[in-house]
Every structure is written in C-alpha cells, then in structure tokens.
Amino acid sequence: MKFGFEEAQTKYSSGSQRARIWTEQWVSRWIYCPNCANSRLSQFPANLPVADFLCGNCNDQFELKSQRKAFGAKVADGAYFTKIERLASSTNPNLILLNYSLGTMAVLNVCMVPKHFFIPEIIEKRNPLASKSRLDRLQHIAWSRTAIGAICIVRDGVPVPKETVIAQWQKTLFLREEDADARGWLIEVMKCLDLIGTVEFDIEQVYAFEGRLGALYPHNMNVRPKIRQQLQRLRDSGYLDFISRGRYRIGSSRP
C-alpha cells in the first residue's frame, strides 16, 4: 500500500476539488473490501445519491468522506431524506473516512464505519441558512455516536494488517440481522462498555449508565432489564464472554 497521491490532471483549480479526485483514485487503487476481503473496490459513476464505491464480490457499497483536518463530532453529508430512506435498504453504504495532507500529498488516516452502525437517530438535519437554502435538505452524521464501530485501516500513515481489519469487521456483523430499534440499543450498550474501559466488567458497572440510556430512550421504563437483555444478546453473538454471575469479558477480536 502506497500513501502518496498520483497527481493526475484534473479540470479543477481548487486544492479541495483536486484532493477529492486524488483521494477517490487512491481508494480505487488501494482499499480492499473488509466485508469479504476482495482486493479492490470499484468506483460508481459520479452523482449517485449516496454511494461512491462498490465491492464487485459481495455487493457492499461504500461512501467516501475525505478532508485535511481530523473528523470532529459530526460529518457533513448529503440529502437527508435520501439517507433516511436508504438506511432501511440492503444498499445502505458503509462509510470511509479519509484524512490526508496536501502538504505531503499523501493519505494519513483511513477508518471505516460498517453500515450496521447507522441508525436513524444519528442522522441529523442541518439548520438551514435561509428559507430556500438547499441546506434544509442536507444532514450531518453524528460521528461521535458511530465511533464505537470505526475500524482503522491506516493509522498515522501505517497500514493496519488486513487480517486484523477483517476480523474486527466480522465481529459485529451480527448487527446486520437486527432491526434499527434493536441495533440502537445494542450499539448504545456497546458504547457504555467502551466507556468502562476494561476488558472484564461487572453488570453493576453497566447499570451505572442507566441514566444515560434512559435519556436516550425515554419511553422505556425498564432500563435495567433492557441492559440485561442486551448483554445476553451480545453474549449470544460472541461479542461478550460470560465469566460468572454478573461478570463478562469483551471478546478478544472485538474492534
């Protein structure tokens, strides 16, 4: 894997527009499909509503977002209603986040967020700047709520081993079998486990997030039983290992 851009001729004069072309070319050449290990992704024709790339083997689709600075809590995206409709479809794309340097003309960091971490709650409408502004049809992705699912492919200019990336991807594929509501609860509990910060934990440590989860799901009056249910489902999926009564271990191959 090489990280420098191939500076092909483009019709654009601005650095960001040229960088878009260069990053798309780089992804086409160097990024593999983490879902099936296919060695290349194919680029879609320009101006499709959501996706940018396709795996010709497993048909997973990918949307590319690239920028010079590190990604913050939110990622600007396209049409709100198009995105919401697509979340429920089999063609909802995975997200590629690519950070580059124009100074060195090279890729710095690449992360992917699997599509099963996207639920309607993380898609936020942008506030319109004017009554007829196109911005009232656009949206943000709340990156901070999907970061638990992010899988690094390149970190600080160093590639993560392909087998590591694929193992991490496979670990959460069980979420694709869940509907949006069920995935939302599972993902939020997984985030709580990440905040605990240890491989082994007691259920009481998860109960400490009862207020946080209750605020996210105010119509649920039985948060503790719901937490126990999610831990059971995470155990059944292989994401968690059961150690003893009320005690769990996060699986070694988790992201």
Side-chain angles (χ1 to χ4, degrees), residues 142-210:
W143 161 240
S144 59
R145 292 190 65 186
T146 62
I148 181 64
I151 298 171
C152 284
I153 294 179
V154 177
R155 184 184 288 113
D156 297 327
V158 178
V160 176
K162 184 176 181 179
E163 58 271 20
T164 300
V165 171
I166 292 172
Q168 291 177 346
W169 190 277
Q170 294 293 319
K171 185 66 175 177
T172 62
L173 276 181
F174 69 92
L175 290 172
R176 291 195 182 187
E177 306 302 318
E178 306 286 347
D179 62 32
D181 289 340
R183 277 190 289 124
W185 264 100
L186 287 166
I187 290 167
E188 292 301 335
V189 170
M190 290 163 70
K191 286 179 63 178
C192 295
L193 302 184
D194 192 60
L195 290 170
I196 291 172
T198 57
V199 174
E200 293 189 12
F201 62 91
D202 293 318
I203 195 169
E204 292 296 331
Q205 292 175 274
V206 193
Y207 285 160
F209 295 94
E210 182 178 3

Side-chain angles (χ1 to χ4, degrees), residues 111-151:
C111 289
M112 282 196 187
V113 183
K115 65 182 182 180
H116 42 270
F117 281 91
F118 289 90
I119 53 178
E121 288 81 358
I122 70 168
I123 309 301
E124 303 174 353
K125 284 185 181 180
R126 292 193 232 174
N127 292 326
L129 298 180
S131 60
K132 295 184 179 180
S133 171
R134 181 173 174 269
L135 287 181
D136 62 1
R137 302 196 305 272
L138 302 183
Q139 42 87 15
H140 289 291
I141 296 170
W143 161 240
S144 59
R145 292 190 65 186
T146 62
I148 181 64
I151 298 171

Side-chain angles (χ1 to χ4, degrees), residues 13 18 32 36 51 58 70 92 115 129 148 161 210 215 235 239 255:
S13 58
R18 294 199 306 271
Y32 52 88
C36 71
C58 69
N92 181 40
K115 65 182 182 180
L129 298 180
I148 181 64
E210 182 178 3
R235 187 190 75 170
Y239 190 85

